[in-house]
Amino acid sequence: MSAQPITHDAPAYPAEYAERYRAAGHWRGETFGGMLRERALAHPDRVAIVDPADEARGKERRAWTYGELDERADRLAAGFLAKGIGKGDRVVLQLPNVAEFFEVVFALFRIGALPVFALPAHRESEIRHFCAFTEAVAYVIPDTEAGFDHRELASKVRAEVTTLRHVFVVGDPGEHTALTDVPREPVPAEDGPRPEDLAFLQLSGGSTGVPKLIPRTHDDYIYSLRGSNEICAVDEHSVYLCALPAAHNFPLSSPGTLGALYAGARVVLTRSPSPDVAFPVIEREGVTLTGLVPPLALVWTEAAATTRYDLSSLQVLLVGGAKFSEEAARRVTPALGCTLQQVFGMAEGLVNYTRLDDPFETIVTTQGRPISPDDEIRVVDDQDNDLPVGETGHLLTRGPYTIRGYWRAPEHNATAFTEDGFYRTGDIVRRTETGHLVVEGRAKDQINRGGEKVAAEEIENHILAHPAVHDAAVVSMPDAYLGERTCAYVVLRAGAAPVKSLAIKKFVRERGLAAYKVPDRVEFVEEFPQTGIGKVSKKDLRAAITASLAAAG
Ligand code: OOB
């Protein structure tokens, strides 16, 4: 274990590093609450958030100015305080891309309560874990979203998790409390968080049984926003379209909605990233940049050829979350008429971007280089020996916005970080002469389903709960659209009646998991191939499914 000081249930940055990052001007002592206040004072009437009209829901377009957002956050903060939600309390937030997302987040930031950023796709299994593990006092949800009633799930979880005192609902509250019924006290919350305090808990893509929580501070996260804005040329004239789920680190901060708000720019939300919904919004709102995962970037590139909407305001398309193939990358600028920026980031910290003025070949063949001159990058072999430029190895990193450990996870931290605080990303990369990184693969036991991360162990545990299952191993299989999909290899118990693959999928789904985690394919085998020391050889399983897919055409 490292000898780092532990604060807020997680290893803090050692004092010498904190001093260095302050001296370098990276950490400037800002907080999210303070930043919104400053922008609101400087330009109260400028539009901060646009939540477009949604005819299907009978919703009109809403545009909140910086002044309005600031006041809403303030009043809601005071209302939350009156409900007994205080500094350091955890609040699980599961909202789609709606204006209230920002009202709630900034209210919590002001108090110093910590949002826990669940994704709209998460279901009972994940939500129960987030609420129980963080001892959350409140859970914020929409009434229904994508045909799913979040209020029912909230009732179940509330009955099980004793710390959970409040469920706040955007929309019809059912048996819970409507967000609009939280008293909007006029008195602002004072005594807010300090810049070095935690601002929120982000979720890790993970490779373990349950997602780990990532503690980010105001200082470190705001630095990543400022750095991202500079690299992506975000200024007060920018219009950022949030097309991916707002709670994810990529659309939140790379440069994302928070980067845009930091710059005094305009954030436009879309409930769906599909071209038929997003393209008219781009035209109407004059969107200048947005971020997409590779499968969506492919869809947009194709749809742009025949669209009747004017996309000429779009200057930059950021693509990341999973490897963007070179061939697809080459098609972006000709099709969409904007500059492509590849982003290779992680919720734990480190974010790499190709630069806007990089040569075209660099933009289409690399995943960018780090934001900060103080991001330390090591590419090492299996024994942690540093490798020369050009060789492929494990990426380790340490820096001014990369965490030093997960929240309440000392055992996991002992292996996920080196003794001197480098994060083991689990990514296999190669460094070029120019310092750009090329992602060549992954050492972590995770499937990257077009940017949505699936931890193999988490799904294996769910499958193992099936009474007929003796053992399970989940691996990736190649997919033309998503890059990878999940394949679950299953060994049935001796003497168990045959089970259909559909039954396994249904079983997993009914355990209450995000739909993207349900295995795409289930294969039954007598036994698993083994490695030299008798472990399940996932490499051989991946090779087997890849070969059988290829043979099937
Ligand atoms: C982003 O964050 P996470 O936490 O969902 O996932 C991080 C992991 C990385 O360790 C890597 O395995 C993979 O996602 N990844 C990429 C990639 N971008 C992320 N792999 C290959 N090429 C890329 N461009 O996914 C995330 C966070 C901030 C900005 C962008 C993405």
Side-chain angles (χ1 to χ4, degrees), residues 202-206 214 248-251 253-254 293-294 319-324 342-353 366-367 395 423 425-428 439-442 444 446 448 451-453:
Q202 187 54 276
L203 306 180
S204 75
I214 296 169
H248 188 271
N249 198 60
F250 176 17
S253 68
S254 305
V293 289
V319 179
K323 177 87 180 243
F324 198 31
Q342 294 213 40
V343 201
F344 163 39
M346 51 206 74
E348 285 82 356
L350 180 71
V351 180
N352 304 275
Y353 294 99
T366 80
Q367 279 63 57
L395 170 65
Y423 168 54
T425 65
D427 292 311
I428 304 288
V439 180
E440 300 282 14
R442 193 180 324 119
K444 54 191 165 191
Q446 184 186 76
N448 190 335
E452 291 185 310
K453 315 302 184 312

Side-chain angles (χ1 to χ4, degrees), residues 22 28-31 193-199 217-220:
R22 285 193 189 98
R28 298 192 182 164
E30 296 167 292
T31 63
R194 296 165 304 172
E196 64 271 31
D197 285 339
L198 296 189
T217 65
H218 294 262
D219 262 337
D220 89 76

